[in-house]
Amino acid sequence: MSGVEETSNEPLQVKEDQEFDVEAEDHLGDDYVVDPTRYMFYRDRKEWADLEAVPQDDGPNPVVKIAYSEKFSDVYDYFRALLKNDEKSERAFALTADAIDLNAANYTVWHYRRVLLQGLSKDLREEMRYITAIIEEQPKNYQVWHHRRMVVEWLNDPSEELEFIADILSQDAKNYHAWQHRQWVIQEYKLWDDELEFVENLLEEDVRNNSAWNQRHFVISHTTGFSDAAIMEREIQYCLNQIKKAPHNESAWNYLKGMLQDRGMSSQPGLLERVLELKETHCSPYLLAFLFDCYEDALENSVQKENAEEDEWKETLKKALEICELLAQEKDTIRKEY
Amino acid sequence: MAEEESQFEEFEQIDFLRDRHVRFFQRTLQVLPERYASLETTRLTIIFFALSGLDVLDALDVIDRNTMIEWIYSLQVLPTEDQSNLSRCGFRGSSHIGIPYSTKGPGVLHPYDSGHVAMTYTGLCSLLILGDDLSRVNKHACLAGLRALQLEDGSFYAVPEGSENDIRFIYCAASICYMLDDWSGMDIQKAIEYIRGSLSYDNGFGQGAGRESHGGWTYCAIASLCLMGRLEEALSRRELDRIRRWCIMRQQSGFHGRPNKPVDTCYSFWVGATLELLDVFQYTNFDRNRSFILSTQDRLVGGFAKWPDSHPDPLHAYLGLCGLSLIGEPNLRKVHPALNITQRAFQHLQQLQQTWRDSTGSCSRQH
C-alpha cells in the first residue's frame, strides 16, 4: 500500500480512534492506552475483541483477485463479521464509514449503513452532510447518489437538493447522475418554478450542453407543454437565436426537430424560410439534415393528401436529393454512405 | 524522406497489437492492485470482459477453463434447504460478503447475501464462453430472483435489497431470460413500456423517462427489444428510422455517447452494435472508426482506453475489440451484437438450448 494513502487516511483514523477511546476509557478504565499517532487495526482494538473477523474466501484459484493492503482487509474482515451477525450498533455504524472510505462503490456497505441509520434512529441531517461530502469527492458513483435519494425521501425534505446539484454541475455540467437526481427531485417534489431559468443560465455558459437542452425539454413538457402556439414560437425563436450564436450545435437542432417531428416538420409557417436564410450564413450538417427532414415530411404528406401539384412534389424531391449530395460530398462526409 | 517516415508512423499507429491484448486480459484475470478496489463487487463483470475479450481474440487457450468455471459457480447464490431465499438467488459479483467458498448447494443462509442482476448476466455469459453446459445453474432460482427485481414501471433493480432502477438492468434481465430460454423471469410488456417511455425527443434512449439520450442506454433499449423478439412490435418504422439517425450521428471519428461530448472507444461498440442491430452499421465510416479505436490502444501494456493517451481498463479493452470486430478487423471473432458474446459462444448456447428442448419434459434442476 502506498505511503501516500497511509498518511492521507491517518488523521481521520486517529480522530475516530480517539473518539472511540474516550468511550472505551469510560468502560475499561485508565489502563487502556493508545498512541494517538498510530492507526490501529480493528483486530487490535479491545472493543472489537468479541468479534471474529471473516476473511474473504475466493477458494483455491481466485480470479481477478484484488491485492488488498492489511488495513483494507482488516476493515472489511470486520465488516463481514458484522454483516454475518446482522449487528446493529454504533460501532457497526462507525465501521461503515471506514469501509466506505476504502471503497465507496460497495453497495452492500451502503445498504447496511441504511439499515443502521433506521435501526439506530441516527440523525439524518448529519447523514445529509456526510453524503454531501462523499458525493463532492466521488460524483460519478451510483451508490452515493442512490443513498442521498433514500435520505432525502426519509426526511421528505428536498430543500437542499437543487443548490447541491447545481454545485456538482458547476464542476461537471454534464454529470448524468446529477441530472438524473435533479429530475427526480423536481418531479417528486414539484419544484418546477425556477428550473427553466436554471437551464437558460447553463445554456448561457455553454450553449452546447446537451444535458441542459434535455432539461429544457423536460421542464417544458411537464409544465406548459408544447401544444400552445405561443410556447412553440418562443421555443423556435430561442433555438434559432442559439443557432445563430453557435451554428455547429447538434443539441439545438435536435431540440428544434424534436419539438416538431410529431406535429409535422412543415407545420410551422415560415420556419422553412427562416432555416433557408440561415443556410447561407450559419450552415451545418444539422441544418441540412433539418431541411432534408422538412422536405421528406412535405413529400410524405403530399402523397397522403394528394392535393399537391406534381411539379411541386418533384421540386421538393430534387431539393431533398441535392441536400443529400451536399452532405455526402462536402458537409458531412463521414456519413456519406448513409 | 519525410513522407516515408510519416507513412511508417501511420503504420505503427494503426498496427493492431494482438499479443499485447492477450497478455492484458491474462493479467486482468490474475491480480489487480488495490487501487482497483472499487471493482470488488463487480469482479464477475471484469472476468466477463477478460474472457470474452480473449474469446474475440481467439485466445481462450491461455487460461485454465475448469478453475474459472469452478470459481464462477462459487458465486452462485443457491436456494437454502427451506428455499426461503429464492427471491434473492442469482450470482454474486464476488466473495465480498464472506460466504465460504463452495460450488455446491444448498445455499448458506445469510442476512445480506443475494444475487446482482448484472452479475447473473455476466456469470452466465462467462460460463457459456468457457464451454460450460449450465447444468449447475439453478435456473428456477435465477428466474425467481429475477422476477423479484422488476418494478411496477417495468424497470429492474440490481439487487433485491433495492438500488437504483433503470434500463441497464432491463437489458441484463432480457439477456438472462434469453440465455436460459425462459421468459417467465420478467414481464415483457411492462419492460417494453419502460423502454418506450425512455425514448427521448431527440430519438435516442435515456436511462429512463425524461432523461438525456445516451449511447449506452440506447444499446440497452434496442438490444433488449431484439432479444425479446419485439423490436418491430415495440417501435414503428418511423421511430426506428429516427433512432437510426440519432445513432449514426454519434460518429465523429470514433463514436461518442451523447451529442457534444467527446468520442470514447466503448461507444464504438454500444452505438456500433445498435446500428448493426438496426441494419445500418454498413453506412458508417469504418476507416475513421478504426483509426480512433486504435489511437486509444496502449502499445506498452495492451488493452484500450476511452481516449488516446489514457490508461487502459478491462471494459474499454473489451469493447474496443468488439468495436473492431464489428468493422471486420481480421483475426477477430465476430460478436453477437445483442448478447455481446462471440458468435462462437452464441452457437454453443444455441446447441445447449436445443438439447434442453429435446430432453423429454422440462426439469427445474434443484441442487
Side-chain angles (χ1 to χ4, degrees):
Chain A
M1 188 171 101
S2 74
V4 170
E5 211 169 305
E6 184 101 40
T7 38
S8 66
N9 277 333
E10 221 166 53
L12 186 60
Q13 293 300 341
V14 166
K15 181 169 175 290
E16 285 178 2
D17 285 347
Q18 284 175 334
E19 282 170 2
F20 244 90
D21 293 330
V22 165
E23 291 170 335
E25 274 179 54
D26 289 341
H27 299 294
L28 301 176
D30 295 330
D31 56 347
Y32 190 78
V33 175
V34 165
D35 174 358
T37 62
R38 187 170 64 88
Y39 171 78
M40 194 179 256
F41 293 130
Y42 279 86
R43 65 177 185 244
D44 297 327
R45 299 182 199 187
K46 277 197 176 169
E47 63 276 21
W48 287 86
D50 62 300
L51 208 52
E52 195 183 323
V54 176
Q56 210 169 343
D57 184 2
D58 276 313
N61 298 298
V63 188
V64 188
K65 189 173 171 55
I66 300 172
Y68 292 116
S69 62
E70 248 192 305
K71 175 175 165 182
F72 197 114
S73 302
D74 175 68
V75 171
Y76 271 89
D77 287 350
Y78 278 85
F79 171 68
R80 283 182 273 272
L82 291 168
L83 216 54
K84 187 170 160 190
N85 299 331
D86 201 5
E87 180 176 314
K88 298 201 175 60
S89 66
E90 282 298 331
R91 72 174 180 178
F93 186 73
L95 187 143
T96 61
D98 279 354
I100 285 164
D101 191 52
L102 292 168
N103 178 12
N106 189 317
Y107 60 84
T108 309
V109 178
W110 283 108
H111 170 64
Y112 185 55
R113 187 177 172 93
R114 283 192 288 277
V115 168
L116 294 170
L117 278 169
Q118 299 203 290
L120 303 172
S121 302
K122 300 294 287 180
D123 181 346
L124 294 179
R125 299 273 166 210
E126 200 178 316
E127 188 67 5
M128 280 298 286
R129 287 192 284 278
Y130 174 73
I131 195 62
T132 295
I134 306 261
I135 294 176
E136 292 279 354
E137 288 166 26
Q138 304 186 53
K140 295 201 174 178
N141 164 322
Y142 280 98
Q143 288 72 39
V144 300
W145 285 99
H146 177 67
H147 189 77
R148 188 185 180 98
R149 174 168 158 166
M150 296 305 295
V151 178
V152 168
E153 279 183 3
W154 290 342
L155 283 169
N156 200 32
D157 177 8
S159 60
E160 292 175 27
E161 296 317 279
L162 294 183
E163 195 181 317
F164 169 71
I165 301 163
D167 185 62
I168 297 291
L169 288 173
S170 72
Q171 295 161 49
D172 173 1
K174 302 181 184 184
N175 182 326
Y176 205 92
H177 305 269
W179 281 111
Q180 189 160 300
H181 187 76
R182 195 172 180 91
Q183 285 196 349
W184 169 72
V185 165
I186 287 175
Q187 201 158 15
E188 186 71 16
Y189 298 98
K190 305 193 183 1
L191 302 172
W192 303 98
D193 290 352
D194 302 322
E195 192 62 3
L196 191 57
E197 190 187 327
F198 178 74
V199 163
E200 289 204 358
N201 290 336
L202 282 181
L203 287 174
E204 270 295 305
E205 286 173 29
D206 177 9
V207 72
R208 292 186 180 85
N209 184 337
N210 196 65
S211 311
W213 281 101
N214 181 74
Q215 190 75 346
R216 189 179 183 97
H217 194 276
F218 175 74
V219 171
I220 294 177
S221 49
H222 282 93
T223 51
T224 56
F226 288 93
S227 306
D228 185 285
I231 302 279
M232 187 62 98
E233 181 50 38
R234 181 194 79 195
E235 291 303 296
I236 290 173
Q237 195 54 55
Y238 183 81
C239 280
L240 295 177
N241 288 344
Q242 304 319 312
I243 287 163
K244 282 182 195 132
K245 288 188 211 163
H248 199 87
N249 182 3
E250 190 188 346
S251 303
W253 284 105
N254 284 355
Y255 188 88
L256 186 60
K257 175 176 152 182
M259 283 194 294
L260 296 169
Q261 66 186 1
D262 289 326
R263 294 178 169 83
M265 298 287 288
S266 22
S267 67
Q268 286 295 113
L271 179 58
L272 185 63
E273 286 68 32
R274 284 148 93 181
V275 174
L276 283 166
E277 260 180 53
L278 276 177
K279 179 168 174 276
E280 302 314 308
T281 47
H282 297 79
C283 200
S284 72
Y286 319 114
L287 183 147
L288 295 171
F290 185 86
L291 282 177
F292 176 87
D293 291 332
C294 288
Y295 295 142
E296 187 182 53
D297 182 64
L299 290 170
E300 279 175 359
N301 281 328
S302 60
V303 165
Q304 284 163 10
K305 287 180 192 169
E306 289 177 36
N307 61 358
E309 301 257 18
E310 198 185 315
D311 283 343
E312 198 185 312
W313 198 89
K314 280 190 184 163
E315 190 55 35
T316 305
L317 179 62
K318 179 160 167 271
K319 284 188 222 172
L321 292 172
E322 277 167 3
I323 298 261
C324 291
E325 264 307 294
L326 184 57
L327 284 165
Q329 297 304 326
E330 196 185 317
K331 296 287 186 179
D332 197 19
T333 58
I334 199 167
R335 268 168 280 280
K336 70 173 192 243
E337 296 300 319
Y338 175 70
Chain B
M1 272 304 267
E3 206 181 278
E4 273 175 44
E5 277 169 5
S6 72
Q7 273 174 359
F8 183 68
E9 271 170 34
E10 266 185 62
F11 179 75
E12 267 200 301
Q13 275 160 26
I14 62 173
D15 187 23
F16 174 67
L17 301 168
R18 180 188 180 276
D19 289 344
R20 301 256 175 194
H21 301 307
V22 172
R23 283 201 290 278
F24 178 87
F25 289 126
Q26 276 181 292
R27 284 198 307 275
T28 302
L29 288 168
Q30 288 154 8
V31 182
L32 296 177
E34 188 180 282
R35 68 173 183 275
Y36 287 86
S38 62
L39 300 180
E40 174 64 46
T41 54
T42 59
R43 277 162 64 197
L44 189 45
T45 65
I46 308 298
I47 275 97
F48 165 71
F49 294 141
L51 288 177
S52 201
L54 287 170
D55 194 10
V56 173
L57 291 165
D58 192 5
L60 280 171
D61 53 303
V62 304
I63 51 121
D64 180 343
R65 286 171 197 247
N66 288 328
T67 56
M68 298 261 164
I69 289 172
E70 292 309 300
W71 188 84
I72 294 170
Y73 273 119
S74 78
L75 296 175
Q76 188 172 191
V77 179
L78 290 161
T80 52
E81 292 271 13
D82 63 358
Q83 311 239 328
S84 57
N85 68 335
L86 260 191
S87 63
R88 291 163 56 191
C89 289
F91 281 73
R92 305 174 194 100
S94 80
S95 54
H96 72 275
I97 300 271
I99 306 285
Y101 180 88
S102 166
T103 57
K104 301 196 245 298
V108 170
L109 192 59
H110 186 293
Y112 292 92
D113 188 30
S114 41
H116 183 298
V117 75
M119 309 308 144
T120 305
Y121 154 61
T122 50
L124 291 173
C125 286
S126 299
L127 287 170
L128 287 172
I129 292 165
L130 293 167
D132 187 72
D133 64 359
L134 305 189
S135 57
R136 287 190 276 165
V137 173
N138 187 322
K139 301 183 182 79
H140 171 72
C142 281
L143 292 165
L146 192 55
R147 277 192 293 277
L149 297 173
Q150 190 167 21
L151 286 88
E152 260 310 297
D153 68 4
S155 68
F156 280 76
Y157 287 130
V159 292
E161 290 81 16
S163 70
E164 67 279 12
N165 58 290
D166 55 61
I167 208 168
R168 293 172 292 159
F169 307 133
I170 294 182
Y171 172 71
C172 295
S175 299
I176 292 165
C177 290
Y178 187 91
M179 286 187 277
L180 297 181
D181 199 14
D182 188 332
W183 291 90
S184 71
M186 62 192 287
D187 182 325
I188 291 181
Q189 206 43 54
K190 288 201 178 134
I192 291 176
E193 277 161 33
Y194 189 90
I195 292 172
R196 280 197 56 84
S198 305
L199 185 56
S200 165
Y201 65 87
D202 71 359
N203 306 309
F205 287 88
Q207 210 171 23
R211 299 181 203 166
E212 189 185 0
S213 58
H214 181 289
W217 319 144
T218 301
Y219 174 80
C220 289
I222 298 295
S224 296
L225 291 174
C226 288
L227 289 170
M228 293 172 196
R230 304 286 186 102
L231 182 69
E232 270 142 30
E233 180 192 309
L235 296 164
S236 69
R237 174 66 201 265
R238 171 171 299 199
E239 284 170 327
L240 286 170
D241 279 341
R242 289 173 180 170
I243 293 162
R244 288 180 176 107
R245 170 77 66 82
W246 185 89
C247 290
I248 223 159
M249 292 305 289
R250 292 313 112 233
Q251 182 164 27
Q252 310 297 299
S253 52
F255 288 78
H256 61 194
R258 295 182 262 170
N260 289 319
K261 287 277 276 181
V263 287
D264 172 335
T265 298
C266 64
Y267 295 108
S268 287
F269 178 75
W270 298 131
V271 180
T274 306
L275 287 165
E276 177 68 24
L277 288 168
L278 295 172
D279 288 320
V280 290
F281 184 67
Q282 69 263 38
Y283 303 124
T284 61
N285 186 311
F286 284 16
D287 277 339
R288 308 238 343 237
N289 190 9
R290 182 177 188 274
S291 294
F292 175 73
I293 298 172
L294 287 173
S295 75
T296 69
Q297 181 177 229
D298 190 309
R299 303 185 65 80
L300 197 60
V301 307
F304 295 85
K306 64 191 301 191
W307 297 326
D309 302 317
S310 305
H311 291 298
D313 62 71
L315 179 142
H316 288 90
Y318 172 59
L319 294 176
L321 282 182
C322 291
L324 289 171
S325 167
L326 282 175
I327 61 180
E329 181 76 16
N331 304 317
L332 291 184
R333 286 207 165 110
K334 282 287 173 194
V335 173
H336 186 288
L339 211 43
N340 195 7
I341 55 178
T342 58
Q343 290 289 355
R344 179 206 66 82
F346 178 70
Q347 274 152 34
H348 170 62
L349 171 66
Q350 285 183 307
Q351 278 158 12
L352 266 185
Q353 290 180 340
Q354 193 55 52
T355 58
W356 296 342
R357 282 180 218 130
D358 290 344
S359 70
T360 47
S362 72
C363 33
S364 58
R365 291 166 193 257
Q366 302 285 334
H367 288 263

